Amino acid sequence: VSVQVRNVFGEDVIWLSIKIFYLASREDCSIYYASVSDSSEQMGVLSKLSMLRRSFETALDLIDAIALEYYFINNTIDVKTKLAEGHSYMFGTYIQNALDEYKILCKHLKKSDKPISVVLDLLYKEDMYMRCKVTAKTVYGNGKRIKSVIVIESTGLDVKP
């Protein structure tokens, strides 16, 4: 069992991490090992990261943008904002009048860690496209491509096929 306990002493907050492990049984007794540690610093960092994530989502919402992460190893897309979950943008699909720009974007993301921006018309409703600015950057780790971070901003221009 692992539990995080929050204790408030006036204006101070202390987080304790309590872990209990079953070790063995002997006759009518059970033997457990328990540890208690101060996890205030870790919880403070997690709290700050959560606030930064909310600020990031709010900023993207204000400029009518969504954020995605594309993972090269398993070809998956992770939606990073609540706003994006309601959109039907499919990155790499439903592109109109911008196939060359899309190919440039994909080629760049496979070979460079520098950011790139292109303008693409993305399908968002049946037979309706929205002109979007797509900015992306590939993240490397140990010399290998890990993921591309992609921000899609609406220009507010609807484009008909």
Side-chain angles (χ1 to χ4, degrees):
V1 175
S2 180
V3 180
Q4 294 285 340
V5 178
R6 181 175 168 238
N7 293 312
V8 179
F9 300 102
E11 293 182 18
D12 294 331
V13 176
I14 297 174
W15 286 90
L16 298 175
S17 177
I18 302 170
K19 295 180 182 180
I20 302 171
F21 301 96
Y22 170 78
L23 295 178
S25 291
R26 300 217 176 147
E27 298 173 11
D28 291 338
C29 296
S30 294
I31 301 172
Y32 294 90
Y33 169 79
S35 68
V36 177
S37 59
D38 183 350
S39 58
S40 300
E41 187 174 331
Q42 290 172 320
M43 295 304 285
V45 169
L46 288 176
S47 176
K48 286 178 185 175
L49 286 173
S50 179
M51 287 189 312
L52 285 171
R53 182 188 50 77
R54 285 193 301 272
S55 294
F56 176 68
E57 286 180 352
T58 301
L60 288 173
D61 190 28
L62 289 172
I63 62 171
D64 194 18
I66 61 174
L68 312 166
E69 288 183 349
Y70 171 78
Y71 291 88
F72 289 97
I73 195 164
N74 56 5
N75 275 344
T76 60
I77 294 177
D78 185 16
V79 176
K80 288 296 169 195
T81 58
K82 292 177 187 170
L83 178 65
E85 292 169 0
H87 286 278
S88 61
Y89 295 125
M90 296 296 293
F91 192 72
T93 313
Y94 306 122
I95 295 172
Q96 175 180 321
N97 300 333
L99 197 53
D100 290 339
E101 287 87 349
Y102 176 69
K103 287 178 181 176
I104 290 168
L105 174 68
C106 292
K107 187 176 180 180
H108 180 87
L109 292 176
K110 290 178 181 176
K111 295 183 177 185
S112 177
D113 64 347
K114 305 272 189 273
I116 184 173
S117 291
V118 296
V119 175
L120 300 174
D121 295 340
L122 301 177
L123 180 71
Y124 74 100
K125 289 181 186 172
E126 189 175 326
D127 293 329
M128 288 299 296
Y129 290 81
M130 181 175 290
R131 184 146 297 152
C132 297
K133 177 183 175 188
V134 179
T135 304
K137 181 180 185 331
T138 297
V139 177
Y140 285 80
N142 296 328
K144 294 182 181 180
R145 292 179 299 155
I146 304 295
K147 64 182 176 181
S148 287
V149 178
I150 303 155
V151 176
I152 303 172
E153 296 175 68
S154 167
T155 63
L157 297 173
D158 286 347
V159 179
K160 293 190 179 189

